[in-house]
Amino acid sequence: MFAQLHIPGKPLVLFNVWDAGTAVTVARVGAPAIATGSWSVAAAHGVDDGEALALGDVLANAARIVRAVDVPVTIDFEAGYGATPDEVGASVAALVATGAIGINIEDRFIDREGLQPIKDQAARLAAARGAAEAASVPLFINSRTDIFLNAPTTAHSSAMVDEAIARAHAYADAGASGFFLPGLVDETLLKRVCRESTLPVNVMMFAAAPSASRCAELGVARISHGPEPYRAMAKWLEGTARAVYSR
């Protein structure tokens, strides 16, 4: 059901949450699925993004969200919580046991700059797929590349799209279900990715990004809001608290 919601030209829109309470709120207004954002989940626990939140806390939070709503739940699982493919597989198996039916796995290194080599990231994705198959769960693995997130938008180029497409094809062969390119906002480049990727394309909505309707026209199949909902909430909370304490 979740996979079928990814339609190029009619994208699935995910307003990312961080706990069971926010999941219930977003589901209540008609969201067809619930997605967490790792940055928001980490912030809500008082730690930084980048797998600083312990795996046990991620799993417990995921389980509470799954229990709280009646729609599919996908979890932003950062880089897979594992230094090796076997460790990624074990972590994904534990996440699948919470009832989550989707994950994001990114190809950046957690402990240093740069991206995983394509072959290494493909092995990590294959391990995630193997863990899901062992549990008889058709997990939606949204493979994220940080090629564009790591560079200013003015530096995005056709050569970067070449690398992105190579990664999309390798990740698809490894068992990925979707392809996530946060940071890419150039419409010409985005349209090319949507045309050449064999996986449904996911983008992240923020101030510089094309509108949701324009993303649909370009062939996007999934739109995420990432940390923006949490940031908006935190801004409101801070402003309201400041007004209370300044009286």
Side-chain angles (χ1 to χ4, degrees):
M1 170 184 160
F2 183 68
Q4 291 172 356
L5 294 173
H6 294 72
I7 304 171
K10 188 180 178 182
L12 166 66
V13 177
L14 296 171
F15 197 72
N16 299 75
V17 305
W18 50 92
D19 60 14
T22 51
V24 168
T25 299
V26 172
R28 186 184 299 134
V29 301
I34 291 296
T36 64
S38 66
W39 190 96
S40 305
V41 171
H45 283 78
V47 300
D48 292 333
D49 196 22
E51 296 188 8
L53 186 63
L55 177 59
D57 290 330
V58 174
L59 298 175
N61 190 54
R64 288 192 293 269
I65 292 172
V66 169
R67 289 195 300 268
V69 298
D70 295 324
V71 295
V73 174
T74 182
I75 301 296
D76 187 348
F77 210 45
E78 302 208 49
Y81 277 84
T84 67
D86 286 346
E87 290 177 358
V88 170
S91 296
V92 170
L95 182 64
V96 168
T98 69
I101 53 72
I103 56 171
N104 284 3
I105 295 185
E106 60 202 48
D107 57 11
R108 72 182 178 97
F109 289 106
I110 289 296
D111 58 350
R112 60 187 186 278
E113 294 295 322
L115 304 184
Q116 295 273 357
I118 294 179
K119 183 178 178 181
D120 293 350
Q121 183 64 9
R124 296 164 67 81
L125 293 169
R129 175 58 64 203
E133 289 180 347
S136 299
V137 174
L139 189 69
F140 192 100
I141 300 175
N142 200 31
S143 54
R144 168 177 150 174
T145 184
D146 278 7
I147 292 172
F148 300 99
L149 197 62
N150 289 342
T153 57
T154 54
H156 294 176
S157 65
S158 182
M160 293 170 71
V161 172
D162 291 342
E163 181 183 351
I165 293 302
R167 287 182 179 267
H169 291 165
Y171 297 170
D173 290 343
S177 315
F179 191 46
F180 185 20
L181 303 98
L184 178 58
V185 299
D186 182 278
E187 293 188 6
T188 300
L189 300 181
L190 178 55
K191 183 176 182 178
R192 182 184 160 204
V193 172
C194 291
R195 183 177 66 248
E196 298 184 21
S197 172
T198 57
L199 297 171
V201 171
N202 180 188
V203 297
M204 187 163 69
M205 189 60 60
F206 60 103
S211 67
S213 60
R214 183 58 181 149
C215 286
E217 291 172 354
L218 296 171
V220 169
R222 173 168 165 174
I223 296 172
S224 300
H225 282 256
E228 295 308 308
Y230 185 94
R231 287 172 173 159
M233 177 280 302
K235 182 178 181 180
W236 173 87
L237 184 64
E238 181 180 354
T240 304
R242 180 176 289 111
V244 167
Y245 286 110
S246 64
R247 291 173 183 169

